Amino acid sequence: MNQFEDVSAPPYKLALIGFRYDENSSSMKGAADAPPQIRAAFRSDASNFWSEMGVDLGAEGTFFDAGDVEPVVGTEMFSLIEDSVRTLLSDNLAPICLGGDQSITYPIIRAVSRKYPGLSILHFDAHPDLYDELLGNHHSHASPFARIMEEGLAKRLVQVGIRTINGHQREQAERFGVEVIEMRHWRDDLTLDFASPVYISFDVDALDPAFAPGVSHREPGGLSTRQAIGLIQRLQAKVVGADIVEFNPRMDPIQTTAAVCAKLLKEVGAKMLK
Ligand code: MN
């Protein structure tokens, strides 16, 4: 048994928590099954717990595994999500949240921004997720960043990997002052600098489907895994929380995308420990 599984040795620095929830996915279910798959890939003997930059995520006291949260009849899932993240933060644990569809980011950010007023968000995605509503759902997985910006929960929102922006979402981005770095303008030497604490939200469909086919909305022309990792490693910021969302195991027949998620977990976790 490695230290990752040893829950008897606090204090920990990071908390891993899964949200098995995909009710707000507009086209396809399946993301609710992602957290156990990401955990299995992360713990797989096929790799180790070291990040590329030399951080050992298997070291004692690094990770507290808070387990998975599932919907409970009679309880609002968003309240469960917000409350569980708030509990981890109050224990001085920096949360890494495994989705689930992207709608979970809104209640997570409600908790994180309360602890870190002036929070910034770095959002990897093919989609801006700024719809006022989609198919009548204001909490659609295509809308969380509209809710976040309306409520003033983020001082700065920077989006990378974007390649599906339409007229409505371009208006929303302007209205909220979102810094959209569209995929067509990507540069491999892009470096982002944040003065305030940063939350990283990583929708796996930011990556090209060639690298991460296990998503509900495959959008060609995306980031390579290498480009995404490079941006995270070059990031100049204090990272206080993160999510990895929209991985759909039903679209991932040979577990390629599960391995990608585990790799992102290591690189993001290492950044949070810096
Ligand atoms: Mn997306």
Side-chain angles (χ1 to χ4, degrees):
M1 193 167 86
N2 59 63
Q3 291 300 328
F4 178 73
E5 290 164 318
D6 179 5
V7 293
S8 64
Y12 297 94
K13 300 180 184 80
L14 305 178
L16 193 61
I17 186 165
F19 295 113
R20 301 198 56 173
Y21 188 61
D22 58 14
E23 289 304 309
N24 291 308
S25 183
S26 58
S27 74
M28 198 185 289
K29 305 302 179 198
D33 298 330
Q37 303 290 328
I38 300 173
R39 278 193 174 79
F42 181 61
R43 290 171 171 156
S44 166
D45 292 337
S47 190
N48 61 46
F49 290 109
W50 288 74
S51 81
E52 292 184 359
M53 305 285 276
V55 175
D56 180 9
L57 291 153
E60 187 170 354
T62 300
F63 258 114
F64 171 71
D65 194 337
D68 289 344
V69 177
E70 297 187 41
V72 176
V73 175
T75 306
E76 282 289 328
M77 186 63 178
F78 277 13
S79 303
L80 272 179
I81 295 170
E82 185 178 340
D83 290 348
S84 46
V85 173
R86 184 175 297 134
T87 301
L88 296 172
L89 289 167
S90 67
D91 287 339
N92 286 318
L93 293 162
I96 303 183
C97 308
L98 307 178
D101 71 54
Q102 179 90 66
S103 71
I104 68 170
T105 303
Y106 167 58
I108 295 168
I109 292 295
R110 281 178 59 101
V112 176
S113 70
R114 186 170 295 195
K115 174 152 182 172
Y116 298 102
L119 185 73
S120 293
I121 300 174
L122 172 57
H123 175 210
F124 290 80
D125 206 320
H127 316 95
D129 292 346
L130 289 165
Y131 278 98
D132 181 51
E133 51 86 19
L134 192 68
L135 307 172
N137 181 3
H138 284 264
H139 289 305
S140 163
H141 69 156
S143 301
F145 293 94
R147 301 292 85 77
I148 287 165
M149 298 312 280
E150 278 167 0
E151 284 189 28
L153 302 178
K155 174 179 162 187
R156 195 177 165 202
L157 171 58
V158 180
Q159 299 184 317
V160 296
I162 304 299
R163 53 195 186 277
T164 62
I165 194 164
N166 61 7
H168 167 65
Q169 293 195 94
R170 206 174 284 285
E171 283 172 17
Q172 291 280 83
E174 280 171 25
R175 174 183 162 207
F176 297 129
V178 182
E179 298 166 57
V180 183
I181 300 171
E182 292 183 52
M183 199 59 222
R184 63 195 170 110
H185 296 137
W186 175 265
R187 292 179 45 159
D188 275 343
D189 61 353
L190 174 66
T191 301
L192 295 173
D193 210 307
F194 291 89
S196 61
V198 172
Y199 179 92
I200 296 177
S201 181
F202 203 114
D203 179 333
V204 182
D205 69 31
L207 302 175
D208 194 278
F211 297 92
V215 294
S216 301
H217 303 260
R218 289 180 181 153
E219 187 66 35
L223 294 165
S224 69
T225 311
R226 189 73 255 156
Q227 287 170 325
I229 289 171
L231 186 64
I232 291 166
Q233 290 177 344
R234 290 191 301 276
L235 187 60
Q236 303 288 318
K238 174 182 166 62
V239 182
V240 297
D243 63 51
I244 299 171
V245 296
E246 295 286 344
F247 163 40
N248 187 341
R250 294 180 200 174
M251 299 289 280
D252 194 37
I254 57 165
Q255 291 89 47
T256 320
T257 314
V260 168
C261 291
K263 177 81 172 172
L264 294 171
L265 172 57
K266 271 195 277 192
E267 294 303 316
V268 170
K271 196 75 192 178
M272 290 168 69
L273 290 167
K274 282 286 174 192

